[in-house]
Amino acid sequence: MGPIVIIGGFLSYARAYRGMQQELSAHTGQPVSIADIPGHEWLLAVSSLGWARLLAGLDRAVQQAARSAPGVKITLVGHSAGGVLARLYLSPDPFLGRAYQGLERVNHLITLGSPHHSKGSWRRGGRLSRYIEKHYPGAYFQPEVRYTSFAGKFLRGDRAGSRSQRWAYDRYQEICGQGNAWGDGLIPIQAALLKGSDQVILDGISHYSVFGNPWYGSSAAIPKWWGRAEDGHASGQSEQPSVGS
């Protein structure tokens, strides 16, 4: 085990993950850093030029973490759209003229509520996820990198339900085409479970604190997903999800 780097989601700032950083470091005993990408830079994710700026920010954080522990590979934890972007970062192929070489520095990618399979607009990570699925589908760089994807089962979308259920229905419908799916309040389970990865559904875990607690980065949730990620490493087994229940 080595250093851990967190990359946040769409429009997020590093400060939103300070609590998660502290909790994760205390739980694992490892140094944890956050990719310092200004939230407004995610507005550029509508284009490949925007993706390159985001990748550069992630690369700075990973390289800094790697320098602190020479010879030890990084565990990359991507929340929401950050987990999707991290898959592109792993590629050794040049992207707009620059190769980020994430594959040389990262040996485990953990994604938390990331819209890997999305029919949605660029605001829901749709364009980015479709690009990556076309060029590096699923857990593409296994076995060099281990992939573990987590999905929260917090709220079922319901067009005739409460305000939060109706809102979730619209988001799920946009992303996966099924509004009455289960998800974490923003990302439906079907979208968050990356094909070919170790897949785990977390009961009662929301996308972020504004959707309800606990969320992926809370003290109550971190031991659950970190423990499962470590168990998967030891056993090679993953939970078989039941997304229709």
Side-chain angles (χ1 to χ4, degrees):
M1 189 188 304
I4 301 166
V5 174
I6 298 169
I7 174 170
F10 183 69
L11 292 181
S12 67
Y13 285 82
R15 61 178 178 269
Y17 295 89
R18 297 298 183 202
M20 178 181 179
Q21 176 188 29
Q22 295 169 2
E23 293 286 349
L24 187 55
S25 180
H27 184 75
T28 63
Q30 297 299 317
V32 179
S33 56
I34 307 167
D36 191 11
I37 299 173
H40 63 267
E41 289 200 357
W42 281 98
L43 292 172
L44 304 174
V46 61
S47 70
S48 55
L49 287 173
W51 301 343
R53 286 181 63 91
L54 296 169
L55 288 168
L58 175 56
D59 188 52
R60 288 192 297 270
V62 171
Q63 289 206 49
Q64 184 175 357
R67 286 193 294 269
S68 71
V72 180
K73 289 200 171 185
I74 306 298
T75 295
L76 193 52
V77 177
H79 175 236
S80 197
V84 181
L85 183 76
R87 292 169 57 199
L88 181 57
Y89 176 71
L90 296 175
S91 172
D93 302 325
F95 183 78
L96 297 187
R98 179 176 174 183
Y100 294 92
Q101 305 297 335
L103 196 60
E104 296 181 0
R105 302 185 180 98
V106 176
N107 65 359
H108 191 183
L109 173 59
I110 298 171
T111 66
L112 307 171
S114 296
H116 295 297
H117 312 292
S118 177
K119 300 177 181 179
S121 67
W122 66 271
R123 291 179 302 165
R124 308 297 170 207
R127 186 177 180 190
L128 178 60
S129 68
R130 289 189 290 273
Y131 175 89
I132 295 171
E133 276 297 292
K134 178 179 178 180
H135 295 278
Y136 310 104
Y140 189 83
F141 293 106
Q142 288 189 135
E144 290 88 349
V145 174
R146 195 162 62 89
Y147 295 72
T148 308
S149 60
F150 291 91
K153 187 177 182 181
F154 183 77
L155 185 67
R156 188 168 192 166
D158 186 343
R159 186 160 43 186
S162 67
R163 181 179 179 181
S164 58
Q165 287 175 317
R166 295 194 304 271
W167 194 88
Y169 181 96
D170 290 340
R171 304 292 83 72
Y172 300 167
Q173 180 71 28
E174 180 183 1
I175 292 171
C176 75
Q178 183 182 345
N180 63 349
W182 278 95
D184 60 17
L186 180 63
I187 306 300
I189 289 174
Q190 295 97 310
L193 297 178
L194 178 64
K195 295 174 183 177
S197 70
D198 293 332
Q199 301 177 351
V200 183
I201 296 172
L202 299 170
D203 284 328
I205 304 300
S206 82
H207 191 78
Y208 192 61
S209 57
V210 296
F211 297 92
N213 281 305
W215 73 286
Y216 299 108
S218 67
S219 58
I222 287 172
K224 294 181 180 180
W225 60 258
W226 183 264
R228 289 305 303 265
E230 290 299 288
D231 288 346
H233 181 65
S235 67
Q237 298 177 349
S238 62
E239 180 175 317
Q240 295 301 311
S242 178
V243 298
S245 59

